[in-house]
Amino acid sequence: MKVPFGDLKLHYQEYKEIFDQAVARVLASGYYILGPELQRFEDEFARYLDCKFTVGCASGTEAIYLALAALDIKPGDEVLVVAHTAVPTISAISMTGATPVFVDIDAQTMVIDVADLERKITERTKVIVPVHLYGLMADMDSIKKIADKHNLPVLEDVAQATGAKYKGLRAGSIGRFGAFSFYPSKNLGALGDGGAISCQTKEDYDRLLKLRNYGQSKRYHHDIVGINSRLDEIQAAILSAQIPFVDEWNDRRKEIAKRYTDGLKGIVQTPVEATDSDHVYHLYVIRHEQRNELQAFLETKGVGTLIHYPTPAHRQEAYRYLNYAAGSLPVTEAVANRILSLPLFPELTNEQVDFVIEAVREFVNANPNSASVEKQLATPVKAGTGRD
Ligand SMILES: Cc1ncc(COP(=O)(O)O)c(C=O)c1O
């Protein structure tokens, strides 16, 4: 049996009819940019999120950038964010000229550590960017409390958590802005690049509409400096067609995650769920001391895995200029060496999941020297010293 990490072709084949109809409708319409399909998607996505407005844009990276631009984030400003994320979260901050200030993560949930967050606030801090990583939402009540105390806006990075809920509220409807990615493998994916920003006020909405379209209020009237970051009509139609299925797909993701956890508990460190939060399992990430060996073994069994992410942002060459020493984000760094993402997508069969579970068990049984789950759970949690 082969278990690929993902299978987008299978997804297309299963929903071929609705995809083909959506594309054919747009092609025949002669309207390809900023037309009725985008408006329809933005309305339907806002309804799905139960928020006031959404604005389509070209990617998740630019969704974060546009929200930061709407907040007028500029060089000299500091943006609080985790280093344990997809690097594009940080690229978007860099695009504004502002300085990303890295916050460590919680050892159990692997999302932002709110105690470290508060420690890192300075008079230059302008915004907090919690990342809902792997489909698990950050602790939004604590973050909002800190944000309100310091009068800071919150921009949620929802790229990996479309459809997730925190105390009944959808990810992206809690902060002042939410930034979404529709990269094809996401929980709601386009057949190409795409993104969106959610917001709650007409003022923010109007500003985002201008920012994504050359800063124009109407043709040839450029009120502010903007860029070209639009979600095209074909992708908008493809996304609208899929909104009705997102919750169903997320339920299947949760079912697969439960099957993995039932089969792997006590064998490897399985993902932690938070009580207030509905994990939508964009990724199913286990932890093991011999991660690299386990990954190589699974490959020999025909099981595709990936690491999200092997090198945290503060240790990447591009961010060397920020001068974070090794050890400055201890939990982030410890986690990066142990994490492994197992295959998880809605079309995965139970037989495939069981095959992966068996393969992991086989590796662990053959490697009795690999550290106990208890030892792995005892990841030391020290306060990061921040920049050095
Ligand atoms: C957490 C996170 N933020 C931002 C992005 C950027 O999204 P995109 O690839 O659509 O630019 C991604 C996706 O790669 C992501 O996973």
Side-chain angles (χ1 to χ4, degrees), residues 206-279:
D206 286 341
R207 196 163 158 78
L208 288 168
L209 290 182
K210 290 181 195 173
L211 282 165
R212 73 155 176 205
N213 192 31
Y214 320 130
Q216 287 184 143
S217 50
K218 57 184 179 185
R219 188 169 284 192
Y220 308 133
H221 290 260
H222 300 264
D223 300 354
I224 54 176
V225 177
I227 60 169
N228 172 0
S229 182
R230 300 175 299 225
L231 181 67
D232 69 63
E233 290 286 286
I234 291 180
Q235 299 305 340
I238 284 166
L239 289 163
S240 289
Q242 293 184 95
I243 289 176
F245 300 102
V246 175
D247 286 345
E248 191 184 302
W249 293 334
N250 283 346
D251 285 345
R252 175 63 188 148
R253 285 177 180 274
K254 291 179 219 174
E255 215 172 77
I256 294 169
K258 184 173 182 313
R259 199 171 181 93
Y260 271 137
T261 298
D262 289 347
L264 294 173
K265 228 175 177 59
I267 307 287
V268 293
Q269 190 175 347
T270 52
V272 171
E273 295 192 12
T275 43
D276 293 330
S277 184
D278 176 37
H279 198 320

Side-chain angles (χ1 to χ4, degrees), residues 161-172:
T162 301
K165 284 183 183 166
Y166 178 90
K167 295 189 174 170
L169 301 173
R170 294 273 191 200

Side-chain angles (χ1 to χ4, degrees), residues 3 259-271 284-291 293-306 338-343 351-368 370-371 373 376:
V3 189
R259 199 171 181 93
Y260 271 137
T261 298
D262 289 347
L264 294 173
K265 228 175 177 59
I267 307 287
V268 293
Q269 190 175 347
T270 52
Y284 187 87
V285 178
I286 59 167
R287 282 180 264 183
H288 193 269
E289 286 291 307
Q290 289 177 285
R291 185 270 312 280
E293 291 83 352
L294 173 58
Q295 182 174 40
F297 177 79
L298 291 175
E299 199 179 333
T300 67
K301 291 279 176 183
V303 175
T305 60
L306 287 173
R338 295 174 189 175
I339 45 177
L340 186 66
S341 309
L342 301 182
E351 291 68 34
Q352 287 175 307
V353 175
D354 293 345
F355 182 82
V356 178
I357 292 169
E358 270 321 300
V360 174
R361 283 174 162 270
E362 192 182 329
F363 174 83
V364 174
N365 288 337
N367 290 274
S370 63
V373 169
Q376 292 166 45

